[in-house]
Structure formats: C-alpha cells, structure tokens
Amino acid sequence: MNLGRRSSKPSQHAVWVFLAPFALLTLVFVAYPLIQSAVLAMQQTYGPGTKTFVGTRNFTDAAADPVFWTALRNTIIYTLGSLFIQLPLALALALALNSPRLRGRSGYRLIFFSPQLMGLVFVSILAALMFEKQAGLINQSLHTLTGGLWSLDFPWLESHVMATLILISLWMYVGFNMIYFLAALQNVDHALIEASAIDGANSWHRFRHVVLPAIRPVGTFVVMLSMIGSLQLFELPFVLLEGTGGPRNQGLTVVMYLYQSGFEVGDLGYASAIGWVLALLLMSLACVQMWMIRREGR
C-alpha cells in the first residue's frame, strides 16, 4: 500500500510540470490581456497616456453611434453572403469533385484551393486592379461576354463595395470550405447509398436522407467557422479601400471601426468596448455551436 502511494506522487508532480508552461502562457497572453481590455473598455483615453474612468459609457456610446451600426450591418451582410452563397457553392463543388466519373479531380482540387495559398494582402491588391473601371479585368470580361452591353464604367468599388467583397471572398474561400465538405463526403458509407439506390431512392433522396445527415457535423463546424471568420473581417476591405470604409462607409466592418477608433482617433477605451461587443457576439455563436454539436451527438 505504501509503495503504491509513493509511486503516485511523482506522477502528480509531473502533471503540474507539464501543465505549467501552458498555464503560464495562458495567464500572460490570454487572461491578463482580457482583464486589461475589460478595464480599458470602461475608460476614455486620449492615446495610451491619458485615461479617464467612464464606467459603461463607451458601451452606451456605441449603442447610439450610427457609424458603429453601419459597420455592424455591413459585417452581418458580408456574413450572410458567406453563409448563403459561399457554403452552398463549396458543397456543390465538393459533390462534383467527389464523383468517381470525373477525370482529373486532383487538378480541379488544386485549382479551386490555390487562391487560399495567396495572402489576403496580395489578394486585396490584385482585386483592386481587377475591379477597376475601364481597364479592370472584371469589367473588360463582362463587356466582351455581353457583346458591349456591360458598361466598362460599372462602379464596383464606388457603389457596390459589399457585393465586391463577397465576390472576392467567394474566390478566396470556396476552395477552402470545399476541402472540408470533400473530406466529409469521402467518409460517407457507400453501402448505405447503394442500399437506398436499390430501394428506389433517386439522387435527391439519397443526398437528402443519406449524405446530408452523414456530413451534418462537418457542415455545422464549417458554418460556425465561416461565421466567426466573417465577423472578424479586416484585412481585405482595409487594403482594398486603402484604410477607409469606402464611399459612405459601404465597406466599413466592425473590426475596421475598432482599428480606426483605437489607432487613428486614439480612443483605446472605445475601441476596447467595440472589441468586447464583438467578443460577446462570437462567444454567443460558440455557445450555439456547442449546443448544436451536443444535439447532433444525442
């Protein structure tokens, strides 16, 4: 008995020794910044040196700030575009590339995934050239394809900023999300598909009642990943619109407004309050994801 007790003590110490680096890094780089940002959100600052405690005024100011609501509306529109255009297209591509009758599937996968290999800053610079009036590749191509009906002066970056952002993201992330769906499709039990076909189920019924339930956990994960990533949109509109929100703030997102408030205006307290509003929104979505995953597991 005594030997057993002695042998258990070193293992407990070893657990704490292995956990200590992670716990220390979490305290320094996660817990401490979170506490500091919560304190900062209740202060009004004029640069890092001047602070005044204002309680919850930064949050009430954000609630009454029309620019904040414009940024939030733009971010939600972009998120909805990602969910209802980008993900269905990614699933359709995955279904097409999962077909054994399609030749050269590896090549198609590389083509669709390759935009993801480029950095967002490079993509933004490239997109700014592609969506230009007159000489831009998009207007030139549409002008040629429609036999001159499409105007070369179509103002993508002046009057249709959000649509442009959604189109660029479509090009960037469709292949990325397709990989998730493709991996899920390759794990679907083919015996069930063949059995349903023998029972007379057509293609739609096989997809609806066999394939879709099998890939639903991965689909839930991809949806939440896209929502969280879309709500944190920053680099693409920031570079594309040269650090501004574009005409009438059409391309201003919540994170861009946070950056402008904190690093251009100098009010780090207000920027922290905006960050906490976004963090609470993301935490709510994470809770929804956990609830959906648990529901799927029952």
Side-chain angles (χ1 to χ4, degrees):
M1 294 295 289
N2 291 334
L3 288 174
R5 286 177 186 173
R6 285 175 187 171
S7 63
S8 65
K9 287 182 180 177
S11 64
Q12 290 176 358
H13 290 309
V15 169
W16 287 110
V17 167
F18 283 116
L19 281 177
F22 173 76
L24 183 63
L25 290 173
T26 304
L27 284 173
V28 172
F29 293 107
V30 179
Y32 178 72
L34 275 176
I35 294 169
Q36 280 293 97
S37 68
V39 173
L40 195 59
M42 297 184 186
Q43 296 174 336
Q44 186 172 18
T45 64
Y46 303 96
T50 308
K51 301 173 183 176
T52 306
F53 182 77
V54 293
T56 58
R57 200 180 78 187
N58 284 328
F59 293 95
T60 55
D61 285 351
D65 185 355
V67 181
F68 171 74
W69 287 107
T70 300
L72 185 61
R73 184 197 64 196
N74 291 339
T75 306
I76 290 173
I77 291 173
Y78 175 82
T79 303
L80 293 175
S82 296
L83 292 180
F84 294 106
I85 301 174
Q86 191 182 113
L87 295 189
L89 189 56
L91 177 59
L93 281 175
L95 287 168
L97 295 184
N98 194 46
S99 172
R101 289 174 293 183
L102 182 66
R103 293 183 178 179
R105 287 186 292 172
S106 300
Y108 288 119
R109 289 172 194 170
L110 179 62
I111 290 169
F112 288 121
F113 185 77
S114 56
Q116 188 62 35
L117 302 176
M118 296 187 288
L120 261 177
V121 173
F122 179 73
V123 168
S124 304
I125 294 170
L126 192 63
L129 297 173
M130 290 171 65
F131 284 91
E132 271 188 348
K133 291 180 181 177
Q134 292 290 330
L137 178 65
I138 303 299
N139 276 344
Q140 285 281 352
S141 301
L142 292 172
H143 184 77
T144 303
L145 289 172
T146 58
L149 293 176
W150 186 271
S151 172
L152 289 173
D153 289 322
F154 190 82
W156 289 103
L157 297 175
E158 289 79 16
S159 303
H160 304 280
V161 177
M162 192 49 61
T164 305
L165 289 174
I166 291 172
L167 284 174
I168 297 169
S169 299
L170 200 67
W171 176 53
M172 276 287 293
Y173 296 112
V174 159
F176 179 74
N177 292 318
M178 177 198 73
I179 294 298
Y180 283 106
F181 286 123
L182 196 55
L185 287 170
Q186 289 175 352
N187 286 320
V188 176
D189 191 349
H190 288 276
L192 290 176
I193 297 175
E194 291 170 3
S196 60
I198 292 170
D199 288 341
N202 58 29
S203 300
W204 168 248
H205 288 147
R206 290 199 295 275
F207 173 75
R208 173 70 181 81
H209 298 290
V210 179
V211 176
L212 200 55
I215 66 171
R216 189 170 294 161
V218 174
T220 304
F221 172 75
V222 174
V223 166
M224 296 309 299
L225 198 68
S226 295
M227 287 179 70
I228 291 171
S230 299
L231 288 171
Q232 297 181 82
L233 179 68
F234 175 71
E235 296 96 331
L236 179 60
F238 185 80
V239 177
L240 188 69
L241 303 171
E242 300 177 345
T244 69
R248 301 181 299 283
N249 284 328
Q250 291 180 69
L252 186 69
T253 64
V254 172
V255 180
M256 277 183 72
Y257 190 45
L258 182 156
Y259 175 85
Q260 290 177 352
S261 301
F263 298 101
E264 293 180 4
V265 178
D267 193 349
L268 295 171
Y270 189 58
S272 293
I274 294 172
W276 269 101
V277 171
L278 183 61
L280 291 173
L281 187 59
L282 291 172
M283 287 177 191
S284 303
L285 291 173
C287 290
V288 171
Q289 182 193 17
M290 291 174 66
W291 175 76
M292 292 178 74
I293 290 173
R294 286 179 181 172
R295 190 182 173 191
E296 292 293 332
R298 289 177 184 171

